Amino acid sequence: MSFFPAYWLSFISLPFSSKKKKQQITNNNNIEISEEMFSGCVKLETIGNTKFIKLIDIKAFENCVSLINTDFIGSSVSVIEEYAFKNCTGLISVTLPESLNGVYENAFEGCTAISELILGRTFENPNLDNDSLIKH
């Protein structure tokens, strides 16, 4: 099992993506997973210790085909950007935190195995449908 505690991100100097992109930003224990940071990490199965993650940027986990679940309960994630988990075909379960303010369009596009979506809070006007949250 590949396990990567999120707090290790503060020690990383380069993104794991094969493309050279901007580095993650770490300020006062607020971690932003930058654009395409883990894109194509086909052996990544779990994201652990998500407590300090604030933002998941565009295509941050794109094509992480071995990623099985995301559990952000207890984290401070406020935004999940477009295509953040695009084509994570092994993703079965998604648990979103109470702190979440927005999930951008197509954040979970191509995640055809998702069978469980748990929201950490009730949204007054969720404006979510299958086509905008999960696009197959």
Side-chain angles (χ1 to χ4, degrees):
M1 175 188 285
S2 299
F3 177 77
F4 195 90
Y7 63 83
W8 286 6
L9 294 177
S10 61
F11 301 106
I12 296 170
S13 59
L14 292 173
F16 284 93
S17 172
S18 59
K19 302 174 183 104
K20 294 204 177 215
K21 294 290 176 184
K22 64 181 179 179
Q23 297 177 14
Q24 80 288 351
I25 301 164
T26 311
N27 293 323
N28 300 323
N29 293 327
N30 288 326
I31 296 171
E32 296 181 5
I33 299 178
S34 61
E35 184 176 336
E36 296 185 16
M37 184 171 199
F38 294 96
S39 180
C41 289
V42 296
K43 293 186 178 184
L44 181 67
E45 296 176 1
T46 304
I47 305 165
N49 194 354
T50 61
K51 182 177 179 182
F52 298 112
I53 297 175
K54 183 79 173 164
L55 169 87
I56 300 172
D57 210 344
I58 298 168
K59 299 182 180 180
F61 293 97
E62 176 188 35
N63 296 319
C64 292
V65 296
S66 298
L67 188 62
I68 298 168
N69 67 55
T70 61
D71 183 352
F72 293 105
I73 293 298
S75 77
S76 57
V77 172
S78 61
V79 176
I80 298 176
E81 293 280 355
E82 299 146 320
Y83 307 108
F85 293 92
K86 181 180 179 183
N87 295 329
C88 292
T89 55
L91 192 58
I92 297 168
S93 176
V94 176
T95 304
L96 302 174
E98 189 174 317
S99 60
L100 189 67
N101 291 322
V103 177
Y104 279 78
E105 188 173 357
N106 301 318
F108 294 92
E109 179 180 314
C111 298
T112 55
I114 294 178
S115 60
E116 180 178 54
L117 176 63
I118 301 169
L119 301 175
R121 70 180 178 111
T122 304
F123 291 88
E124 289 180 24
N125 184 8
N127 197 20
L128 297 175
D129 58 40
N130 288 337
D131 289 332
S132 65
L133 183 62
I134 302 169
K135 191 166 188 146
H136 302 288

